[in-house]
Amino acid sequence: MSFVEYRTEGHVGIITMSREKALNAINDQVLDDLAAVLAGVDVENIRALIITGAGKKAFVAGADIGAMADMPTDEAVKFGRKGNELFLKIERFPIPVIAAVNGFALGGGCELSLACDIRIASDNAMFALPETGLGIIPSFGGTQRLPRVINVGIAKEMLYTGKRVMADEALKIGLVNAVYTQDELMDKAMELANRIASKAPIGVRAAKSAVNDGIHLPMEQAIEVELENSGKGFGSQDQRNAMHAFMEKRKPDPFINK
Ligand code: CAA
């Protein structure tokens, strides 16, 4: 039995964290299952991924507290490293990843959403990094990604106090791009994923690499990263197709990722 389900709809892959009884909390097996699903994504054909949680209550309620309660320190560090390596893979996944946050996104769940390119949420979503209340700190990248996504002072307040941020506030502070009703969320996530999938995959992937690889560099180096990535699209069949279509005042043929 896997705690992570995967299905596809056209060019979109949908990953569902499926350990509903524990509000999709992440234990060692969940990390293994998620890694296996990611390794199986056909990145030639799939152009955007959505990650969401099973049920109506939780995206992911964090790392499994029961599994961690009596964990020796070295094992806890190993668990953190394993999660971190996996979340880094998501961040660097060649195609965009959208977190469709359908409820609690606490601790490791908030961190999973932060490893995604874009977060959208349902109106019952709640974000928090409650780890300091458990005597630890986030160990799946939360202390590093949250202050890179939102204002540092707000991130520190969330980290130091475990403050719960509801969907409307998450929108206000830029933690999510949009908020929808629970019923709308997956349709809106699919709409966004399909909008991404309608663009030339080479362009979208190059844009993701350019942002991720350049964002923390000094501008002189960052624009070099952009230039390296801009070279990926030029000369591709999709680029020729799209630009010739523009010149001929017609729609381009469907993109083929070549
Ligand atoms: N780990 C293990 N089990 C969890 C869990 C977690 N993080 N979150 C929820 N569950 C389990 C509960 O133990 C409960 O199981 P039982 O039915 O067997 O008792 C079930 O999910 C339902 O949860 P509740 O009964 O608590 O549901 P609720 O609606 O009353 O409360 C909640 C929901 C506010 C999310 C509450 O469950 C909660 O606070 N969960 C813990 C959240 C948390 O602290 N997450 C951070 C973990 S540390 C971390 O993530 C470290 C890291 O950086 C990697």
Side-chain angles (χ1 to χ4, degrees):
M1 191 195 68
S2 174
F3 286 136
V4 182
E5 286 164 15
Y6 181 61
R7 66 189 171 88
T8 61
E9 267 187 56
H11 289 299
V12 179
I14 301 132
I15 294 175
T16 307
M17 307 300 287
S18 298
R19 196 182 167 220
E20 207 178 328
K21 270 192 189 160
L23 302 184
N24 307 321
I26 296 174
N27 61 14
D28 212 49
Q29 192 196 325
V30 174
L31 291 180
D32 287 340
D33 292 347
L34 182 54
V37 162
L38 285 172
V41 173
D42 172 9
V43 289
E44 286 307 308
N45 182 47
I46 296 301
R47 300 181 181 182
L49 276 182
I50 297 170
I51 303 183
T52 193
K56 292 204 171 292
K57 240 177 124 173
F59 175 67
V60 168
D64 191 307
I65 298 172
M68 292 185 298
D70 296 312
M71 216 180 238
T73 309
D74 57 340
E75 248 187 72
V77 172
K78 219 168 107 188
F79 181 55
R81 189 175 301 285
K82 187 169 171 175
N84 257 319
E85 283 171 3
L86 182 60
F87 286 15
L88 207 54
K89 243 183 221 163
I90 292 170
E91 189 171 70
R92 295 184 179 163
F93 211 66
I95 56 180
V97 185
I98 300 163
V101 179
N102 58 313
F104 296 117
L106 308 178
C110 182
E111 294 171 283
L112 175 59
S113 78
L114 288 165
C116 298
D117 294 278
I118 294 170
R119 286 153 295 286
I120 60 174
S122 54
D123 49 14
N124 64 315
M126 178 207 284
F127 294 82
L129 291 173
E131 283 88 345
T132 50
L134 293 165
I136 57 169
I137 62 167
S139 54
F140 291 166
T143 61
Q144 302 310 306
R145 290 197 180 92
L146 187 64
R148 284 165 160 88
V149 168
I150 64 168
N151 169 281
V152 178
I154 299 175
K156 284 182 172 170
E157 183 182 342
M158 285 179 69
L159 280 159
Y160 301 163
T161 67
K163 175 183 171 169
R164 293 174 164 188
V165 171
M166 301 307 297
D168 54 347
E169 193 181 347
L171 182 62
K172 229 183 280 170
I173 63 176
L175 185 51
V176 300
N177 287 21
V179 176
Y180 304 103
T181 64
Q182 270 237 316
D183 286 347
E184 284 174 328
L185 180 67
M186 279 314 288
D187 286 346
K188 293 293 184 183
M190 281 302 296
E191 209 176 287
L192 176 57
N194 278 317
R195 279 212 312 275
I196 293 169
S198 74
K199 301 298 175 189
I202 295 173
V204 172
R205 291 164 199 217
K208 176 165 176 169
S209 299
V211 173
N212 281 2
D213 296 344
I215 194 164
H216 304 301
L217 296 176
M219 190 53 76
E220 290 82 358
Q221 292 167 36
I223 53 181
E224 281 305 317
V225 169
E226 184 182 83
L227 277 177
E228 278 162 30
N229 278 287
S230 81
K232 292 177 182 170
F234 277 101
S236 67
Q237 291 181 52
D238 283 344
Q239 177 251 324
R240 298 289 191 243
N241 160 29
M243 290 196 185
H244 284 281
F246 175 82
M247 298 306 291
E248 291 156 20
K249 300 195 187 303
R250 60 174 173 82
K251 274 191 162 183
D253 297 331
F255 293 120
I256 57 172
N257 194 18
K258 286 197 173 105

